[in-house]
Amino acid sequence: MSSEGVSEDCLGWAARDASGVLSPYKFSRRTLGDEDVYIKITHCGICYADVAWTRNKYKNSKYPVVPGHEIAGIVTKVGSNVHRFNVSDHVGVGTYVNSCRDCEYCNDRLEVHCIKGAIPTFNGVDFDGTITKGGYSSYIVVHERYCHIIPESYPLASAAPLLCAGITVYTPMMRHKMNQPGKSLGVIGLGGLGHMAVKFGKAFGLSVTVISSSMSKKEEALSLLGADKFVVSSDQEQMMALAKSLDFIIDTASGDHPFDPYMSLLKTSGVLVLVGFPSEVKFSPANLILGMRTVSGSLTGGTKDIQEMIDFCAANGIYPNIEVIPIEYVNEAIERVINKDIKYRFVIDIENSLK
């Protein structure tokens, strides 16, 4: 590994304690290694993970925390042994920036499942002992393996949320063959992840039903995102009408909720994939066994999947719905994320506001 840089030339915003309040912070990045890419960050999406670790939700925050793992930017320098990137390329960096590169999962380009643990883009301990710092900053140095090409025709602001929200739903959809035209997909929750699941589902030719606890989401689900149906989860009549009709369900809800009502919506051999983080998952074994159903979990994705997803979005004109903000608004934006007052992803304009 390269040695850490000595000059504090990277400007970021960091949380210093569990209040999660972010403010300007100068720090050093490691010097550019032979296989590294130096990226001037132009945009960074805001993910709920930023809330969790700036506020020490998991009791392992390493302050000061510079969050952000939905990074888009422009290559300004490359190491002497970099082969995939050139200066001025548009690139993205997702939820991890290193892995062992030698285990079975790394060899299969599923680095997120690295046996030794993928190194998260922020609040992680890298193999050289340094603490990783994320995309709420002016630049980042990353090994080329963990960078992804963004076509120049695809806006960098739109690309940022693909690196977490997009890949989190794309990966299980591809793994469970949710790309078969004519099949039916249920999407639980209509936030940053859920709205991308709807977009991918429609692009794959699926019949998409949004299942939400809030009737207020109906118009945007049907008119804005193009879902085929909308069901309020608390309406038993609507839920019963949907029984045994869905081939797949993607559950993006992180709040605690019952699972049996959703399991009953699956056809025989149907698949429910969990990508949210409720505190527990409970359902009747009968709902699993009698319907020969599958419950699966999924994280983000490997480097191969991420590049494939970016290319798919570019080829099919799939763009996240975003609200672009200056870095000075980030604390208010995070409060709005907590209050679910966003449609559907905040993206920080790093290039034009981080000074």
Side-chain angles (χ1 to χ4, degrees), residues 175-330:
R175 177 156 57 97
H176 294 286
K177 297 180 172 56
M178 298 185 193
N179 58 345
Q180 304 171 62
K183 296 279 189 176
S184 53
L185 169 70
V187 178
I188 302 172
L190 199 59
L193 276 63
H195 96 287
M196 288 304 301
V198 174
K199 288 174 180 280
F200 286 135
K202 294 304 296 180
F204 292 143
L206 306 180
S207 174
V208 179
T209 298
V210 171
I211 307 163
S212 175
S213 60
S214 174
M215 175 60 83
S216 65
K217 299 287 185 74
K218 181 175 182 178
E219 185 64 24
E220 60 200 63
L222 298 176
S223 300
L224 180 64
L225 299 175
D228 299 283
K229 297 178 185 177
F230 181 88
V231 170
V232 177
S233 57
S234 60
D235 189 317
Q236 292 188 3
E237 188 173 327
Q238 290 186 29
M239 292 287 281
M240 287 180 64
L242 203 60
K244 299 182 180 179
S245 68
L246 301 176
D247 295 291
F248 315 109
I249 293 176
I250 289 190
D251 186 349
T252 71
S254 286
D256 287 340
H257 55 283
F259 283 82
D260 283 315
Y262 300 119
M263 294 284 285
S264 68
L265 305 183
L266 288 170
K267 295 179 180 178
T268 298
S269 299
V271 178
L272 184 149
V273 175
L274 185 68
V275 294
F277 275 87
S279 63
E280 65 176 10
V281 177
K282 293 174 66 176
F283 54 83
S284 167
N287 267 327
L288 191 68
I289 297 167
L290 298 181
M292 205 166 59
R293 298 175 177 118
T294 297
V295 175
S296 178
S298 191
L299 197 52
T300 54
T303 54
K304 179 177 181 292
D305 296 325
I306 295 170
Q307 190 62 60
E308 179 185 287
M309 180 264 312
I310 293 171
D311 294 341
F312 181 81
C313 288
N316 290 275
I318 298 171
Y319 305 98
N321 291 48
I322 61 175
E323 181 177 335
V324 180
I325 61 167
I327 189 73
E328 294 82 6
Y329 187 71
V330 70

Side-chain angles (χ1 to χ4, degrees), residues 18-164:
S19 70
V21 175
L22 293 148
S23 58
Y25 169 66
K26 285 187 176 181
F27 63 100
S28 59
R29 296 282 191 189
R30 73 166 187 259
T31 54
L32 188 74
D34 291 346
E35 298 178 338
D36 287 338
V37 177
Y38 181 115
I39 302 163
K40 180 184 77 171
I41 298 172
T42 62
H43 297 86
C44 186
I46 296 180
C47 174
Y48 190 79
D50 304 345
V51 179
W53 275 282
T54 56
R55 301 196 176 198
N56 203 22
K57 180 178 179 181
Y58 301 116
K59 309 303 179 186
N60 64 352
S61 296
K62 302 169 181 63
Y63 295 107
V65 173
V66 178
H69 62 199
E70 295 183 340
I71 300 169
I74 299 170
V75 175
T76 59
K77 303 175 189 176
V78 296
S80 60
N81 201 32
V82 168
H83 303 293
R84 295 177 53 229
F85 299 98
N86 297 300
V87 170
S88 80
D89 282 352
H90 290 192
V91 297
V93 177
T95 61
Y96 54 94
V97 290
N98 216 339
S99 64
C100 79
R101 308 175 204 166
D102 192 43
C103 69
E104 60 180 298
Y105 300 106
C106 286
N107 288 335
D108 285 342
R109 301 283 301 279
L110 292 170
E111 298 92 340
V112 68
H113 300 293
C114 174
I115 290 288
K116 294 184 179 179
I119 307 300
T121 302
F122 71 91
N123 199 61
V125 181
D126 211 338
F127 292 131
D128 62 354
T130 58
I131 307 301
T132 57
K133 293 178 170 59
Y136 293 21
S137 57
S138 54
Y139 77 92
I140 191 168
V141 177
V142 183
H143 187 281
E144 68 168 331
R145 177 173 181 145
Y146 309 96
C147 297
H148 313 284
I149 298 166
I150 299 170
E152 289 202 17
S153 61
Y154 198 93
L156 287 170
S158 298
L162 299 181
L163 279 305
C164 179

